[in-house]
Amino acid sequence: MVAWTVTRTWPGAGGSWFIAEARKPATVLVRGGRMRGVGDFFERIVDLDVDAADAGAVAERMVDWMVSRGWLLRETSGDAMYSLQVDEGYVAGPEWARIAENWGEDWIPAPVAVIVGRYAHYSGQGAIGPAEAICPRCRATTVIIDYPQAFEADPAVWQPFSEAIDAWERTGAGEAHCPSCKAGSPITDWRWDDGFGLGALAFDFWGWPPLTDEFIAEFTAQLGHRVEHHAGKF
């Protein structure tokens, strides 16, 4: 879980740049006198390569691995997690603190939701789309949100991408044409700016302190696929 306090902002190419620092969210006491965060923050890892047919098996393999390391339990709960696609997630195991920053021995993370199925995954708060899309053929960048002049997607630019994403979510296939080279490419081959990803498998860590870089690297290696890693708030 990453909550950020912005300490400086300035305009730049591709949008507004900022410096931010991680901070703890507000906390409440839970049964047993231990602390749990409120504010409904999550940290997400999206598998960008697995197809829908294999996503369930890969999800089971990754959960088995995390349970074997003591980071998760087999027990599930819907307490303090708000992923839209699933109602419950896996409860943190006795060794969970080894893969996250130290926010004190009284901290209790919420469950980890495992999301299987084709979805567009957004960071931040709300479904704000990507600012840019990069063509897999010619590598040209299409500006979708022209920061800092605009803070919402240009409807005419975003529509063909949105329609291709909708088709991919429904059928597993969707194609977008590059405004520069005019070539059509599968929507999953396009590259986006940070904070957006299309994937058939995702892991939402609700209410966790920031996951360590070492864990993210180990998780990615275990997964064996490219990932999108971002944070957000419900």
Side-chain angles (χ1 to χ4, degrees):
M1 175 186 67
V2 182
W4 300 100
T5 298
V6 176
T7 58
R8 179 185 174 193
T9 62
W10 68 94
S16 295
W17 295 81
F18 61 89
I19 295 175
E21 59 184 14
R23 60 173 175 82
K24 287 187 181 182
T27 57
V28 295
L29 282 171
V30 298
R31 186 174 61 186
R34 301 185 69 191
M35 305 300 291
R36 169 165 283 164
V38 296
D40 308 330
F41 290 91
F42 64 85
E43 193 166 352
R44 174 182 292 136
I45 304 172
V46 183
D47 186 324
L48 299 176
D49 294 330
V50 69
D51 61 37
D54 297 330
V58 174
E60 290 181 8
R61 174 171 62 81
M62 294 301 291
V63 170
D64 287 345
W65 173 64
M66 287 188 281
V67 169
S68 73
R69 303 294 291 270
W71 302 332
L72 295 182
L73 299 177
R74 291 288 178 191
E75 176 186 353
T76 61
S77 170
D79 183 30
M81 60 146 281
Y82 307 96
S83 297
L84 300 178
Q85 301 87 354
V86 296
D87 296 326
E88 293 189 343
Y90 292 92
V91 175
E95 303 296 325
W96 73 267
R98 295 182 179 274
I99 62 173
E101 289 188 9
N102 182 6
W103 276 3
E105 62 182 13
D106 289 333
W107 192 266
I108 302 176
V112 176
V114 180
I115 302 165
V116 175
R118 290 185 294 268
Y119 296 103
H121 295 280
Y122 301 83
S123 65
Q125 186 172 13
I128 299 174
E132 298 175 346
I134 301 172
C135 175
R137 299 284 189 91
C138 72
R139 310 302 298 174
T141 297
T142 299
V143 176
I144 299 170
I145 305 177
D146 189 17
Y147 294 116
Q149 285 74 30
F151 294 92
E152 295 182 351
D154 182 321
V157 177
W158 176 237
Q159 182 176 354
F161 292 105
S162 178
E163 290 176 350
I165 290 169
D166 289 344
W168 169 77
E169 288 183 326
R170 292 194 312 270
T171 69
E175 185 175 270
H177 289 262
C178 176
S180 295
C181 71
K182 312 304 180 185
S185 300
I187 194 64
T188 50
D189 288 352
W190 284 76
R191 297 294 178 263
W192 318 92
D193 58 344
D194 291 343
F196 180 78
L198 303 176
L201 176 61
F203 300 82
D204 288 358
F205 292 75
W206 284 96
W208 287 57
L211 300 171
T212 66
D213 292 342
E214 292 79 10
F215 170 71
I216 297 300
E218 187 175 1
F219 188 99
T220 302
Q222 185 73 19
L223 196 60
H225 298 146
R226 295 177 303 120
V227 302
E228 161 65 20
H229 172 221
H230 58 235
K233 182 178 185 293
F234 177 70

